[in-house]
Amino acid sequence: MLKENNERSCCSVSRSSIKLEKTNITTYINESDKQDIKFNKKMVYLPGGEFLMGTDDEEGFPSDGEGPVRKIKVNPFYIDSHTVSNEEFNQFVEETGYKTEAENFGWSFVFYKFISPEMKNKVQQLSGTPWWFAVEEAYWFQPEGPESNIEERMNHPVIHVSWNDAIAFCNWAGKRLPTEAEWEYAGRGGLEQKKYPWGDELTPNDEQYCNIWQGNFPRENTEEDGFLGTAPVEAFPPNGFGLYNMAGNVWEWCEDWFTNHPDRKMDEKQINNQTPKVTRGGSYLCHKSYCNRYRVAARSSNTMDSSTGNMGFRCVMDA
């Protein structure tokens, strides 16, 4: 049985918004499972170096810790050109028998427009973010719950994956999650202090460059970008580094703990299983009127065990 705990977040939502009567979770994570590098052909080499991280733009959210602009240096690394797809995650599951945290909890968060009228009587809606429903048996393989599937979405990003799930995949693939600095360096695509991975205009020449919400959030999506939910992992033009969907589509997990003061080291004594991890990039639910966080400097977070229909990840590897 699910119990509600009123708490508002961004266009995403965390498991801390719901209290579970049973939390007997036994997620399999084994760092010794590293083998040969999986899906290495899709990785892009980035030379690293210094770049200007963060923003002081008036459209930003200072309370999120987006600023101040500061000079950061990253070492050379390899990064996936696109997020982990359903096809790739399926291979991981078939080879390891891995069960995601959504499967172990028995439920995950699904956006209301993907829920049938019949299902709405069987799921729990959150008052703080009423567009999210806690749907039993929703997980990566059936993203909208029972009777849904990913047969026509194998090239879409895997969703309903927690930070812990992402780490398990990385261990199997011989990779790791990007640091927040690596993610932003990669997301900027070689540009300096631009708002988006491709420049300062959201739709240059009236062309769509990312999968976000168009219209009146959360009631109407005009789908000018062609999608209501997730888009294929290589949809839309890549940035200057050849990386796809660094803005919109799905939030992407990063390695770092989230703090509103990213220049300060987090006190390890304050870290627990509800301490949030950084997410970057925004999602198909982001809209300027509510969650203007598809900008390349925008930040958000979620707890390590949380999973939703708009969170995924991509991997990196040391050069």
Side-chain angles (χ1 to χ4, degrees), residues 53-55 61-68 70 180 184 258-263 280 297-299:
M53 184 173 180
T55 186
F61 296 101
S63 60
D64 286 353
E66 292 185 17
R70 63 267 187 203
E180 184 176 13
E184 185 169 326
F258 182 86
T259 170
N260 300 93
H261 304 282
D263 56 331
R280 284 299 208 111
R299 314 174 69 230

Side-chain angles (χ1 to χ4, degrees), residues 165-210:
D165 297 331
I167 291 294
F169 179 94
C170 287
N171 290 338
W172 167 79
K175 303 177 184 180
R176 60 179 174 84
L177 287 179
T179 66
E180 184 176 13
E182 287 173 332
W183 192 98
E184 185 169 326
Y185 168 82
R188 291 189 176 278
L191 302 179
E192 183 174 303
Q193 284 295 292
K194 297 298 183 181
K195 192 170 295 184
Y196 308 111
W198 54 86
D200 283 328
E201 291 185 55
L202 181 59
T203 54
N205 300 317
D206 292 324
E207 296 180 6
Q208 302 293 330
Y209 276 70
C210 63

